[in-house]
Amino acid sequence: MDTTRQLVPREKSNSYRVAVCGGPYANPYALSAFIADANQRGCDQLYCLGDLGGFGAEINELWPLLKAGGVQCIAGNYDVAIARGDADCGCGYRDPTDNRYANLIYDYTRTHTTPDFASWMRTLPTEQRFDLGGCDIHLVHGSTLAINDFWWESLSDQEHQRRIDASGARVICCTHSGLPWQRHFGQTLVVNVGVLGKPANNGRQEVWYAVIEVTDGVAKATLVELPYDWQAQSVSMRKAGIPELFVSTIETGWWTTCIEVLPPIERSQGKYHLYRASLLESFTPTGGSWSDEDNPTHTPRIGVSSRPESIVDELPVVPLFGSPYFPRRLWIYTNFHCNLACDYCAVGSSPRALPRALSIDRFHEIVDEAQSESFEEIYLTGGEPLLRADLTELLRYSTAVLPTVLLTNATIVRGARFEKLREFAGNPNLVIQTSLDGAHAETHDFHRGRGSWARTMEGIHRLTSLGLTLRVAMTATPENEHEVNDAERLLVGAGVPATNFLVRPLLQRGHSTSGLEISDVSTVPELTVAEDGLYWHPAGADQRTSPDMVLAPPDSTLQNGKRLVTQRFLAARLDDGSLPRPYRCAV
């Protein structure tokens, strides 16, 4: 239904101004604030794009506010469903968990809306179109395609254009998705005005609406962040017995329901990314026979940081970061040159490789940010970190902040380098990890170079003499697969507990032309920092041989890296519904 209304311009001005809100969601406190704020801004007319019920408890309190405020309404899918007495809100969700939470709150709204209010909803048009100062304005709920269509900002240009072509208006205002944004497409201005009923999944309690102003036939939009009495709304919801997960969104500004509908870009910007029920408690890593469940060093915490947040345990949603699908381990490549030339090195390190050494200042920045971004462990790797003259300075800085694991081939743990490590003897915040690829020299040396097994065993004995925790990883190859048990017994005899021994599969990365293929789609991410950028996983932190693992340029923050990991993870998951498996580089 189209309605045309010609507004009169202000005196001495060829300017027209209207306010447009979306989704009051049974939140009379936000609706009152919208009416007051829009009037204070001198808006000539106020519009609401529908979805009067949902989320809040006081649905019937909206009607007198709408009438007293002169707010013109169109119907959203919620209002159509309530007016018809439908059993479903018609929100357009596809995920069953999204639908379960949507229908939970819809049932409350449906059973608490008065018959008179529901009858009034039946009279509302599902769209409105009018001329504002010579500018064609089109108001819809979801989009110009359907009342429950989600018009996300991250849609492709083709999808945006499809919705624009269905209208032809100069300004199109929509809501339904709940996230405010505006963008010009040629001569057309599209404005998602957000909603009044709940925050915009940004960690703030404020809600949003839009002011559309047309001057001399030219339209512009202002998205308004609106403070309101959210404390009163949360009290009202608790008093009515609304489930706590809905109240949490009002109080924290983070969405706790209906998150699967969010596209990867929009979802990565929120705090919660997955339903808790979709996570496995533990799983066997790619190509391995051991699991986190069997390894006390890596006890999974499903979506819960070691820094307790009481509300997190009660919610059905979790952040990706901190779950088994994105552990709180940060990998840092201190350098890429190495004293060995292992023929299967995943990042192409060798004595001839460019050092690509991370500067000390950048290292300090990363460690500081790792702490502020809630990482729980730092892994220093290479190349061979012991080739750095300033390694002890790096270790001092990192171990003072977070538990640190230093990866080394242990072949040069002697002389001045060994003496420098004495400083960390017994340090509970430092763990050393090395590699042993066989119980005998010929097996280990086959891939790592002649004499390397003897030097590695010598290094292992020296490191254990310092009272440091030592872990050892074995890369499985056709040459050593029959020596796993012998290698474990050898290490136990050298003072390395069996629980600190890991067998991992050979990877087809870097120098290696055979082995297990992993990718950013199939492998759980472990954020990695190198001199030239951020990477998805340490087994592939090399732009030349692993371009698929590149995340961001070298000046990127860890916060941005976490967001990019989350976005890429969700995009891959939504593509085929699968979940990745871990490939552990470390014990």
Side-chain angles (χ1 to χ4, degrees):
M1 175 178 177
D2 289 350
T3 302
T4 302
R5 183 174 185 271
Q6 183 69 45
L7 297 181
V8 178
R10 293 187 200 85
E11 295 180 8
K12 300 180 182 180
S13 172
N14 192 27
S15 178
Y16 305 78
R17 186 180 299 163
V18 297
V20 187
C21 76
Y25 294 168
N27 187 335
Y29 309 98
L31 180 59
S32 296
F34 161 69
I35 294 170
D37 194 73
N39 286 328
Q40 186 176 12
R41 292 173 184 270
C43 294
D44 305 300
Q45 179 63 57
L46 280 59
Y47 295 93
C48 175
L49 302 185
D51 274 8
L52 302 176
F55 227 82
E58 301 180 63
I59 175 63
N60 297 303
E61 283 72 10
L62 298 187
W63 198 14
L65 292 173
L66 293 168
K67 290 191 291 186
V71 182
Q72 292 195 25
C73 293
I74 66 172
N77 56 277
Y78 230 84
D79 314 310
V80 171
I82 293 292
R84 294 191 308 218
D86 293 349
D88 182 272
C89 66
C91 294
Y93 299 125
R94 296 181 180 179
D95 178 77
T97 308
D98 280 356
N99 273 312
R100 180 159 61 89
Y101 288 119
N103 286 327
L104 178 67
I105 199 66
Y106 173 73
D107 288 343
Y108 178 92
T109 303
R110 181 168 57 88
T111 56
H112 286 78
T113 303
T114 65
D116 287 346
F117 195 16
S119 295
W120 179 80
M121 292 178 192
R122 194 175 297 117
T123 69
L124 298 177
T126 55
E127 61 181 320
Q128 189 161 344
R129 197 157 183 164
F130 56 89
D131 181 272
L132 185 65
C135 191
D136 185 16
I137 310 290
H138 194 179
L139 306 181
V140 295
H141 178 72
S143 82
T144 55
L145 300 180
I147 195 171
N148 63 356
D149 179 45
F150 294 92
W151 199 338
W152 305 109
E153 185 177 11
S154 66
L155 290 178
S156 67
D157 288 345
Q158 181 180 6
E159 286 299 312
H160 282 297
Q161 196 61 51
R162 196 160 69 93
R163 288 157 177 79
I164 291 167
D165 290 345
S167 169
R170 291 283 298 281
V171 178
I172 307 172
C173 295
C174 62
T175 180
H176 191 54
S177 74
L179 299 177
W181 58 272
Q182 62 168 307
R183 185 172 161 189
H184 279 91
F185 298 87
Q187 297 298 312
T188 302
L189 172 61
V190 178
V191 185
N192 191 311
V193 304
V195 294
L196 296 179
K198 66 177 183 179
N201 200 23
N202 59 1
R204 297 176 61 85
Q205 292 84 10
E206 291 80 7
V207 294
W208 293 82
Y209 77 95
V211 172
I212 309 298
E213 186 167 0
V214 178
T215 303
D216 296 326
V218 178
K220 71 173 184 177
T222 302
L223 291 169
V224 179
E225 188 175 26
L226 179 68
Y228 77 101
D229 191 353
W230 57 268
Q231 294 95 335
Q233 172 72 345
S234 65
V235 168
S236 166
M237 292 170 68
R238 282 199 177 94
K239 185 177 179 181
I242 301 292
E244 193 65 24
L245 73 162
F246 294 95
V247 183
S248 172
T249 293
I250 297 297
E251 294 181 338
T252 67
W254 299 113
W255 290 7
T256 57
T257 60
C258 302
I259 60 170
E260 285 287 348
V261 73
L262 288 164
I265 290 177
E266 282 81 359
R267 204 190 314 184
S268 69
Q269 294 166 352
K271 180 176 182 179
Y272 302 113
H273 310 117
L274 297 169
Y275 284 116
R276 188 182 299 271
S278 71
L279 300 182
L280 297 173
E281 289 293 325
S282 63
F283 44 72
T284 302
T286 301
S289 59
W290 57 278
S291 71
D292 277 346
E293 190 175 52
D294 299 326
N295 190 339
T297 308
H298 292 296
T299 303
R301 291 178 292 274
I302 307 299
V304 182
S305 168
S306 61
R307 302 158 184 80
E309 298 178 58
S310 59
I311 190 65
V312 173
D313 291 328
E314 302 167 4
L315 296 176
V317 287
V318 296
L320 180 65
F321 182 64
S323 78
Y325 294 98
F326 188 3
R328 297 177 184 271
R329 290 188 284 272
L330 178 68
W331 289 79
I332 302 176
Y333 271 83
T334 62
N335 59 294
F336 282 84
H337 60 310
C338 186
N339 61 303
L340 298 182
C342 304
D343 61 14
Y344 60 67
C345 181
V347 292
S349 290
S350 74
R352 295 183 178 182
L354 293 175
R356 292 163 55 194
L358 200 68
S359 73
I360 191 72
D361 290 340
R362 176 63 173 150
F363 182 83
H364 289 169
E365 290 175 2
I366 293 167
V367 171
D368 291 345
E369 193 183 0
Q371 184 180 36
S372 65
E373 287 295 324
S374 299
F375 284 89
E376 294 181 347
E377 294 176 292
I378 292 176
Y379 286 71
L380 305 185
T381 188
E384 173 50 62
L386 286 179
L387 291 178
R388 287 191 61 138
D390 60 356
L391 178 65
T392 52
E393 184 177 350
L394 303 186
L395 290 175
R396 284 190 206 109
Y397 200 84
S398 64
T399 57
V401 174
L402 286 170
T404 301
V405 178
L406 172 66
L407 281 79
T408 172
N409 58 45
T411 61
I412 53 175
V413 181
R414 57 180 183 270
R417 292 188 177 97
F418 176 66
E419 293 305 316
K420 287 180 179 180
L421 288 176
R422 283 189 184 277
E423 175 184 336
F424 304 95
N427 188 329
N429 256 12
L430 180 61
V431 171
I432 307 291
Q433 176 172 316
T434 190
S435 299
L436 187 72
D437 286 347
H440 305 93
E442 57 270 22
T443 311
H444 176 95
D445 293 355
F446 185 85
H447 292 285
R448 290 182 173 267
R450 186 176 181 179
S452 59
W453 183 88
R455 294 195 300 274
T456 296
M457 289 304 302
E458 180 184 345
I460 287 173
H461 285 288
R462 285 177 174 166
L463 289 169
T464 55
S465 73
L466 295 178
L468 290 167
T469 300
L470 187 64
R471 301 173 185 168
V472 180
M474 177 177 181
T475 299
T477 66
E479 292 74 31
N480 67 15
E481 58 186 11
H482 61 286
E483 293 189 11
V484 172
N485 292 334
D486 289 342
E488 181 178 315
R489 283 191 290 269
L490 178 67
L491 290 168
V492 169
V496 179
T499 53
N500 285 11
F501 176 57
L502 160 71
V503 179
R504 61 193 177 195
L506 176 68
L507 290 183
Q508 188 173 331
R509 288 268 164 179
H511 287 325
S512 178
T513 57
S514 62
L516 180 71
E517 294 186 20
I518 63 170
S519 71
D520 59 334
V521 173
S522 64
T523 306
V524 166
E526 297 200 30
L527 188 60
T528 302
V529 182
E531 179 268 342
D532 59 0
L534 304 187
Y535 291 83
W536 178 266
H537 196 278
D542 178 43
Q543 290 190 11
R544 183 178 61 84
T545 59
S546 299
D548 58 314
M549 294 289 190
V550 178
L551 283 173
D555 58 349
S556 297
T557 64
L558 298 184
Q559 182 182 53
N560 186 47
K562 288 164 62 177
R563 183 185 60 78
L564 292 172
V565 164
T566 302
Q567 182 178 320
R568 191 182 289 194
F569 177 99
L570 294 171
R573 176 172 176 263
L574 293 177
D575 185 52
D576 62 7
S578 65
L579 286 166
R581 310 292 290 182
Y583 176 85
R584 295 278 191 263
C585 288
V587 182

